[in-house]
Amino acid sequence: MQDIVNEIAEQIKAETDRGKVADYIPQLAAIDPNQFGISIALPTGEVFSAGDAKTLFSIQSISKVFSLTVALGKMGDAIWANVGREPSGDPFNSIIQLEHEHGIPRNPFINAGAIAVVDAIMMGHEPKETLAEILRFVRFIANDDTIAIDEKVALSELATGHRNSSLAHFMASCGRMKHSIEKVLGVYYHQCSISMDCVQLAKSGLFLVSGGVNESTGQRVISEQRARRINSLMMMCGHYDGSGEFAYRVGLPGKSGVGGGILAIAPGIASIAVWSPGLDRIGNSKLGTKALDMLVKRTSWSVF
Ligand code: GLU
């Protein structure tokens, strides 16, 4: 396994077409695209890493998997009254589908869906408490209390987040937001601004590898059925309108973020985190996807 990650890191380092870093969030625009990290966490607790696997990055939309898990824990299937479970086929920040479907986002992994999930889990609490709950959960699943939020990234998103404000206002116009838009977006931007390295991120996915149990700590996080369902949502919706292409090339449940990270789950086998900040046209990590493609070719871990 160590040989495989070393080889992948070496090959990816040599790539010249590295994609384009997300520049609509000023703090992310400054990140060096020449970085690449990979970590594979096994249920035994072993972790195999290569490249810049210990460099922190902004997990961005990967956090949507964690906030959805928190929402399912708090309110169970009632969350599906607020958000759908279908692939969107649209960009991550698209407003078009919201209008057609009366303010109900297609799935929890597009921006509108994740904002609706935050609105649902706030349940009248202050943003600080909701955020603390999400961060606590992430620290618990990764078994790492050092995980923190990058306040600078959160403020940078807040300052430039006109599109997300539009999505939230549109949902509010359909009578679908229970809390003030400002408070909900405050939580949303902070959850997206959680910083993790590949090792931490790979570990955080272990509960989705073994039917809801993090075998490395022996803790049950969620039920087996819920783990299966979250994996299926990641497979269908985890890469926006590139989800079909990701399933075709990699064949694993995965969630990307515009920080360049991808969390992928090989059910029953491993949790994998890759990070390369340059994005493809759709907004998914260009070389992260390539690295996962290489990994499944070497290991046959595709679920298909
Ligand atoms: N915080 C980002 C946004 O709201 C998340 C997008 C992403 O990672 O795809 O635009």
Side-chain angles (χ1 to χ4, degrees):
M1 190 64 58
Q2 188 60 49
D3 288 345
I4 293 177
V5 291
N6 287 347
E7 274 169 41
I8 291 174
E10 214 167 290
Q11 251 180 279
I12 295 287
K13 270 273 174 204
E15 292 280 340
T16 48
D17 183 1
R18 309 193 68 87
K20 201 172 158 287
V21 296
D23 53 7
Y24 74 99
I25 300 172
Q27 277 291 318
L28 299 184
I31 310 271
D32 173 10
N34 293 306
Q35 304 177 87
F36 172 77
I38 180 168
S39 291
I40 298 179
L42 303 184
T44 54
E46 288 166 288
V47 182
F48 301 91
S49 301
D52 305 305
K54 295 292 284 176
T55 304
L56 292 173
F57 61 90
S58 192
I59 67 167
Q60 290 294 318
S61 280
I62 301 169
S63 67
K64 295 171 183 172
V65 175
F66 307 141
S67 53
L68 172 68
T69 310
V70 169
L72 285 165
K74 281 182 90 117
M75 54 200 295
D77 284 341
I79 188 68
W80 302 121
N82 303 66
V83 64
R85 300 193 290 261
E86 295 293 339
S88 69
D90 283 319
F92 65 99
N93 56 5
S94 170
I95 201 163
I96 294 172
Q97 171 265 333
L98 270 186
E99 181 161 17
H100 286 306
E101 290 168 23
H102 314 290
I104 303 182
R106 225 4 124 70
N107 68 63
F109 296 156
I110 51 174
N111 286 11
I115 292 166
V117 166
V118 169
D119 185 47
I121 57 182
M122 281 185 75
M123 293 176 166
H125 295 293
E126 284 306 309
K128 260 195 181 157
E129 296 165 49
T130 308
L131 194 58
E133 193 174 3
I134 296 169
L135 187 59
R136 224 175 11 249
F137 179 71
V138 174
R139 287 173 170 173
F140 164 62
I141 54 173
N143 194 26
D144 189 334
D145 279 341
T146 66
I147 294 169
I149 291 167
D150 186 334
E151 191 68 29
K152 277 197 198 137
V153 175
L155 294 178
S156 181
E157 288 205 52
L158 185 66
T160 54
H162 305 298
R163 181 66 77 107
N164 287 322
S165 299
S166 319
L167 296 171
H169 279 285
F170 192 88
M171 290 191 281
S173 78
C174 299
R176 304 213 57 90
M177 298 285 289
K178 292 185 206 71
H179 304 88
S180 97
I181 287 170
E182 220 170 285
K183 289 185 177 179
V184 173
L185 287 178
V187 175
Y188 170 74
Y189 290 134
H190 281 81
Q191 87 166 43
C192 288
S193 302
I194 294 173
S195 281
M196 289 168 93
D197 62 29
C198 286
V199 177
Q200 292 169 327
L201 187 59
K203 284 184 174 174
S204 75
L206 279 172
F207 76 104
L208 293 171
V209 173
S210 309
V213 178
N214 180 343
E215 282 182 19
S216 74
T217 59
Q219 308 248 31
R220 173 164 290 285
V221 179
I222 50 173
S223 70
E224 187 178 354
Q225 172 173 278
R226 197 159 278 169
R228 205 176 320 122
R229 290 182 163 167
I230 292 171
N231 276 326
S232 72
L233 284 163
M234 289 170 74
M235 176 69 90
M236 300 303 295
C237 316
H239 283 71
Y240 312 116
D241 44 345
S243 299
E245 179 68 13
F246 186 81
Y248 181 81
R249 281 180 71 187
V250 177
L252 295 176
K255 182 73 203 84
S256 68
V258 292
I262 302 176
L263 173 64
I265 306 298
I269 306 170
S271 168
I272 309 133
V274 289
W275 170 60
S276 174
L279 308 179
D280 63 16
R281 182 180 55 81
I282 286 169
N284 299 311
S285 174
K286 189 176 175 97
L287 295 179
T289 309
K290 181 157 191 173
L292 288 169
D293 189 350
M294 290 163 68
L295 179 69
V296 293
K297 280 192 181 123
R298 289 288 300 266
T299 57
S300 302
W301 283 354
S302 162
V303 301
F304 299 108

